Amino acid sequence: MPTADILLAFVVTTAVFAFIPGPAMLYAAAQTMVGGRKAGLMAVLGIHIGAYGHIVAAAAGLSVLFHAIPVAYMLVKLAGAVYLIWLGVSLFRTRHTRVDGLAAGAGKSPRKAFLESIAVEVLNPKTAIFFMAFLPQFVDGAAGFPLWIQFAVLGTMVNAVFTFADIVSVLLAGLVVERLKQSSMAQRLVQRAGGTILVGLGAHLALQRN
């Protein structure tokens, strides 16, 4: 495995990336806003599991295909963007209901948030590109372990740190929702805010050039 100095730099750099508010944090917070803390935590778990697909792809070198075949990257990116926008729009079209005193769309459940989140993460080519761009800087070709094992171990560490950061965002969003749960008007606004975040994330993903 890489030396202790390289691993320390890896952990510090990963933590910096993880706690900079990004799409995963906003997505998890949006799920919390519309489904409550449990739905948010299940969304984080879905993102975590979905990321392992990208880790396996990075370890196998499959993510290089996105660089070699720009059309494939574009198609996956647009599919993910459309899915996010569809999730956001569905919140605007769904009647407001109450689940455990929190704002939630009709039929929204932790299980649904979990399954949606796996799909969102798998359809996010940015994650694949991130692993392929970030992890090679910390693998050691002279180490006793094969490169694919180093990719898998470092990728799992990255996923764990990012998941922790996402959990923090869910807990903070949950505190906000908890304070607003007594007001039906506030709950409707929270639900629409969650939908707006999802639509915005989808539009941002679709319009990004790289």
Side-chain angles (χ1 to χ4, degrees):
M1 290 298 290
T3 64
D5 290 342
I6 293 178
L7 284 177
L8 178 61
F10 169 77
V11 171
V12 172
T13 305
T14 299
V16 171
F17 275 118
F19 283 92
I20 294 175
M25 270 191 177
L26 292 174
Y27 174 81
Q31 289 286 7
T32 305
M33 292 167 69
V34 299
R37 186 179 290 112
K38 187 174 182 180
L41 291 174
M42 290 301 291
V44 171
L45 179 60
I47 293 171
H48 181 84
I49 291 176
Y52 282 116
H54 295 295
I55 293 171
V56 171
L62 297 178
S63 296
V64 176
L65 291 175
F66 282 136
H67 287 292
I69 310 176
V71 173
Y73 172 84
M74 181 63 66
L75 290 175
V76 173
K77 185 180 76 166
L78 289 177
V82 169
Y83 186 60
L84 277 171
I85 292 172
W86 178 79
L87 290 177
V89 171
S90 68
L91 292 179
F92 288 100
R93 299 178 60 186
T94 301
R95 288 186 59 187
H96 176 76
T97 60
R98 298 174 67 91
V99 177
D100 295 331
L102 297 174
K108 172 67 70 173
S109 67
R111 180 177 180 274
K112 186 175 181 180
F114 170 70
L115 295 175
E116 288 176 352
S117 301
I118 293 177
V120 166
E121 184 65 5
V122 169
L123 290 173
N124 183 7
K126 288 288 184 179
T127 303
I129 297 300
F130 172 79
F131 279 119
M132 282 304 299
F134 183 64
L135 296 184
Q137 301 178 54
F138 299 97
V139 298
D140 185 356
F145 293 95
L147 290 179
W148 71 267
I149 292 181
Q150 296 185 54
F151 266 92
V153 172
L154 294 177
T156 299
M157 293 172 63
V158 169
N159 201 19
V161 175
F162 272 77
T163 296
F164 176 73
D166 292 341
I167 289 174
V168 171
S169 72
V170 166
L171 296 179
L172 292 176
L175 290 175
V176 173
V177 173
E178 191 72 22
R179 290 179 176 274
L180 298 175
K181 69 179 183 179
Q182 300 300 326
S183 169
S184 297
M185 176 64 72
Q187 290 184 38
R188 284 193 291 271
L189 291 176
V190 166
Q191 181 172 328
R192 284 165 174 73
T196 300
I197 291 174
L198 294 179
V199 171
L201 288 174
H204 177 70
L205 179 61
L207 296 175
Q208 278 188 316
R209 294 186 177 181
N210 298 315

